[in-house]
Amino acid sequence: MPYRWTPAHHAPLPPASSETGKPLLRLDVWPHRSLPSKGFSAAIWLMFAAGLMPVIPFIGTTAFWILLACMMSVLTALWIALRKSDRDHLREEMLIWHDRITLTHWTAKGDKIEWSANPYWVRTTLHPTAKIEQYLTLKGAGPDQTREVELGAFLSPEERIQLRDDLALVLDRVKTPAASG
């Protein structure tokens, strides 16, 4: 799963304490990364080696420099395309305390968007027929909580369903702290 609870979401919650200021739970959500950094490096080196094979017989001629320039252009285009598809900045982080939840979303460009609410009033909604299948949203209650925010839009529909179930379990446990210990 491309999300992680710290500590595990089914572990007992610590008692409410305003002294530490540390959140009870942390949820990190990120998109699938089909090509890790080692894979990226291997792909570039493989392309470089494969691109040199047809160029080597032309060493010492004008054609060598033309073919080398073309091969390096293709290698540069591959580098740029792979880096553009690698969305390292795109991620979400949810921190949960007994009295508040904060959701921070970092866009692919690195912009930071924050949302917070009281966990008692937070409602999770799974929209089965939205543009994105099984679109997961959160909404707080109250006059200043009119904004509905998405969670894990880059996850698969099955992962969003599982995340909603996990989050519902956590929110129920936070709302009833006596039952969570």
Side-chain angles (χ1 to χ4, degrees), residues 8-176:
H9 68 287
H10 46 75
L13 295 176
S17 171
S18 59
E19 296 173 10
T20 63
K22 293 172 59 177
L24 302 171
L25 291 164
R26 174 186 172 141
L27 170 66
D28 292 298
V29 186
W30 60 89
H32 285 283
R33 297 204 175 30
S34 58
L35 189 63
S37 58
K38 285 185 179 182
F40 171 80
S41 177
I44 294 298
W45 280 110
L46 182 66
M47 179 61 183
F48 179 73
L52 279 181
M53 284 185 205
V55 175
I56 289 175
F58 295 97
I59 291 178
T61 66
T62 307
F64 170 78
W65 296 108
I66 295 169
L67 291 172
L68 185 63
C70 291
M71 191 267 303
M72 293 306 287
S73 298
V74 169
L75 190 62
T76 303
L78 177 66
W79 181 292
I80 292 169
L82 289 175
R83 279 297 171 213
K84 186 166 178 60
S85 71
D86 186 23
R87 303 178 295 180
D88 281 337
H89 296 291
L90 183 59
R91 64 186 179 95
E92 293 173 344
E93 174 190 76
M94 179 183 289
L95 301 175
I96 302 174
W97 291 267
H98 283 290
D99 61 343
R100 77 179 185 277
I101 290 179
T102 62
L103 176 65
T104 307
H105 173 86
W106 285 270
T107 64
K109 294 181 180 180
D111 298 332
K112 185 176 173 181
I113 303 168
E114 293 184 355
W115 175 85
S116 64
N118 185 322
Y120 186 80
W121 299 108
V122 171
R123 300 290 176 253
T124 60
T125 307
L126 203 56
H127 305 275
T129 58
K131 267 188 189 179
I132 298 173
E133 186 182 345
Q134 302 299 341
Y135 189 65
L136 178 60
T137 61
L138 302 173
K139 185 172 185 176
D144 59 339
Q145 292 297 322
T146 58
R147 196 170 98 190
E148 192 169 12
V149 294
E150 68 182 19
L151 179 62
F154 41 75
L155 299 176
S156 71
E158 296 79 22
E159 291 166 341
R160 283 192 292 275
I161 292 170
Q162 181 64 46
L163 179 59
R164 189 264 330 251
D165 294 343
D166 291 350
L167 190 56
L169 173 71
V170 166
L171 289 175
D172 286 343
R173 292 177 57 223
V174 170
K175 291 175 188 176
T176 57

